[in-house]
Amino acid sequence: MSQNARNLALLLGLAALVGALAHGLARRTAGPHGLLEGAPERAVVLAELSVPALRASALFRSLAGETSTGLDQVRDACGLDMLDSLERVEVYVLGEGDGPNGRGEALGEVALLARGPLDPEALARCLAEVVADDGGGVHRTTIEGAAAIASDQGLGVAAALGQDGFVAGSEVVVAELLRIDAGTSTGLRRDDVLERLYRRTARDGAGAPAHVRLLARLPRAWRQLLGRIGRVGVEGLSLEQTEALGLGLSVTDGVSLSLAFGLESQGAASSAARALEERISEARRAPELAESARTVALAHVELESEGPDLLVRADLARPELDATLALARRLLAAERRADAGAPDADEADAQPEW
C-alpha cells in the first residue's frame, strides 16, 4: 500500500476509533459552520466538497475509472469504500511565515474536517491492518475535552466532531478547529474579498448550489506565477494584481464552472476581461480550430467584470464534457508514449486540437 493510501487510511481510521470512544457522549457544539466561519486562523487555501454529488457525477466516474488512487488500494486492502462514510469534506491548507492578515506566504500543513455517518468497527479494523503493516500504532488522548486518537509515529491526530464527524491534522490545528466548532474561538479573521468571491461562486448558471468550492488568498509568488501564465496564453492579460481566487464547480450531469478573480481594482478587472474576450474571439474565428474541442468549450464561456472581480463562467453539457474528456485522454496517451520513447503511429490523431 502506498504512503498516501496509508496516511488516508490512518486519518479515517483514527476518526473511526474516536467515534467509538465518543459513542454515547454528548458534546455541546455550535456547528456546523460555513467554510469561512469554520476555517482555522492561518488558512490560505480553503475547499469544501459534497462527496455524494461528486461520486454520482459522470466526471468523477470517468476520471476514477482511469486512475489507480490511494482509495482503490485502501478498498482492496480493507474490503470497504471509505467514501461511503463521508457526506461533506472541508480541507484547509495553512500558511507559514509572515503574510497579509496574519497568514504566511508559504504553504504549510493541511487539516481536514469531515462529516457523515461513520462505521467505527469496519474503519477501526482497516486502521489496525494498515498501522500493523506500517509497523506503528496509536494511542488514546483528549484534545479540548474531546476523545481523540494520536498516531505513535507522529502522523497527526483525529478527534470527534459532535456526533457526525471528525477533524484531523496536527494537534494544534485540531484543537483550534474544535474550539471553533464549540464557539469558543473565531478562527479565520473576517476577509471581505474571500467572502465576496465565495458568494460569486456559490451557484451554477441554473441556480443550483456548487458541489465543489475553493477559495485561495494568493501569496506574492503565486501572483507572479499567475501573471506569467496569463501572458503566455493571452497577450495583454495581466493577472499579477489578483489578490484571491474563488472557484465553484457543479457536476450534476455535465459541468458548470464559475471562476472568480479578485483583483486590486475595477480597472484591472475590466482590462483583464477585455484581453480574454479578444483572445476568445480570435480562437473562435481561427479556421484550423473551428471544429476543435477547445472551440466547442469556448462557445460556452461567459466573461464579466463586476467591480474589482473578473468572473469566468462555463457550462458544458454532457456531450461537450465527453468531448473534452476524450481530448484529455488523447493528450495523456500521447505523453505516455513520448515518455516511453515508443514510436507513435497515430501521432496525427493524438495531437491536441487546441
Side-chain angles (χ1 to χ4, degrees), residues 108-153:
E109 59 188 290
V110 177
L112 175 74
L113 183 156
R115 292 192 183 273
L118 299 173
D119 183 347
E121 293 185 4
L123 289 176
R125 286 194 300 270
C126 181
L127 170 67
E129 180 177 340
V130 171
V131 172
D133 182 58
D134 210 28
V138 297
H139 59 274
R140 302 181 183 187
T141 185
T142 58
I143 301 176
E144 295 294 317
I149 295 293
S151 166
D152 292 342
Q153 297 176 307

Side-chain angles (χ1 to χ4, degrees), residues 4-354:
N4 287 339
R6 287 196 294 269
N7 290 348
L8 177 60
L10 178 63
L11 288 177
L12 294 178
L14 287 176
L17 289 184
V18 169
L21 286 173
H23 180 69
L25 298 178
R27 185 170 65 83
R28 296 186 63 182
T29 175
H33 296 279
L35 180 64
L36 285 164
E37 294 87 353
E41 183 178 9
R42 292 186 291 117
V44 175
V45 181
L46 309 84
E48 63 179 354
L49 303 89
S50 170
V51 178
L54 286 174
R55 297 193 71 189
S57 71
L59 178 61
F60 179 89
R61 292 195 301 270
S62 177
L63 296 178
E66 299 195 7
T67 59
S68 177
T69 65
L71 286 174
D72 295 329
Q73 299 179 42
V74 172
R75 182 170 56 243
D76 293 342
C78 302
L80 57 90
D81 190 338
M82 293 187 177
L83 291 182
D84 285 340
S85 300
L86 300 178
E87 293 178 353
R88 191 179 94 242
V89 174
E90 298 178 6
V91 180
Y92 303 106
V93 183
L94 309 186
E96 292 184 341
D98 297 327
N101 296 321
R103 286 168 285 180
E105 291 286 317
L107 296 185
E109 59 188 290
V110 177
L112 175 74
L113 183 156
R115 292 192 183 273
L118 299 173
D119 183 347
E121 293 185 4
L123 289 176
R125 286 194 300 270
C126 181
L127 170 67
E129 180 177 340
V130 171
V131 172
D133 182 58
D134 210 28
V138 297
H139 59 274
R140 302 181 183 187
T141 185
T142 58
I143 301 176
E144 295 294 317
I149 295 293
S151 166
D152 292 342
Q153 297 176 307
L155 293 177
V157 299
L161 186 70
Q163 300 300 308
D164 67 343
F166 67 90
V167 286
S170 71
E171 184 172 349
V172 171
V173 179
V174 165
E176 182 183 1
L177 288 170
L178 290 173
R179 290 194 298 269
I180 294 171
D181 185 70
T184 60
S185 176
T186 56
L188 185 65
R189 300 178 188 179
R190 183 184 177 94
D191 191 315
D192 292 336
V193 175
L194 290 184
E195 289 182 3
R196 190 177 69 240
L197 299 184
Y198 189 73
R199 291 192 300 271
R200 295 201 188 285
T201 57
R203 296 185 177 275
D204 63 18
H211 302 130
V212 176
R213 309 283 293 282
L214 184 143
L215 297 169
R217 263 289 182 182
L218 300 188
R220 188 179 304 106
W222 290 24
R223 295 190 191 192
Q224 295 171 351
L225 176 61
L226 185 61
R228 289 195 294 269
I229 293 174
R231 285 192 297 273
V232 168
V234 180
E235 183 179 355
L237 178 63
S238 178
L239 296 176
E240 288 91 341
Q241 295 186 45
T242 304
E243 296 180 321
L245 287 175
L247 179 146
L249 181 68
S250 298
V251 290
T252 301
D253 185 18
V255 168
S256 180
L257 173 69
S258 298
L259 185 60
F261 296 80
L263 288 96
E264 294 177 354
S265 67
Q266 181 174 348
S270 298
S271 176
R274 286 194 299 270
L276 281 172
E277 286 172 349
E278 292 175 2
R279 183 66 185 93
I280 290 175
S281 296
E282 291 174 2
R284 288 173 177 170
R285 292 193 301 266
E288 67 274 14
L289 299 177
E291 302 299 327
S292 73
R294 180 179 74 168
T295 302
V296 171
L298 288 178
H300 298 269
V301 173
E302 296 181 0
L303 297 172
E304 177 186 1
S305 63
E306 186 173 340
D309 299 333
L310 168 64
L311 308 178
V312 182
R313 300 187 187 278
D315 294 292
L316 294 179
R318 184 65 181 272
E320 288 85 8
L321 174 60
D322 290 342
T324 303
L325 290 174
L327 175 62
R329 294 189 192 99
R330 292 169 60 187
L331 288 169
L332 291 174
E335 289 181 1
R336 285 194 293 267
R337 285 191 291 269
D339 291 341
D344 190 355
D346 301 322
E347 183 176 357
D349 291 336
Q351 292 301 313
E353 298 176 343
W354 292 62

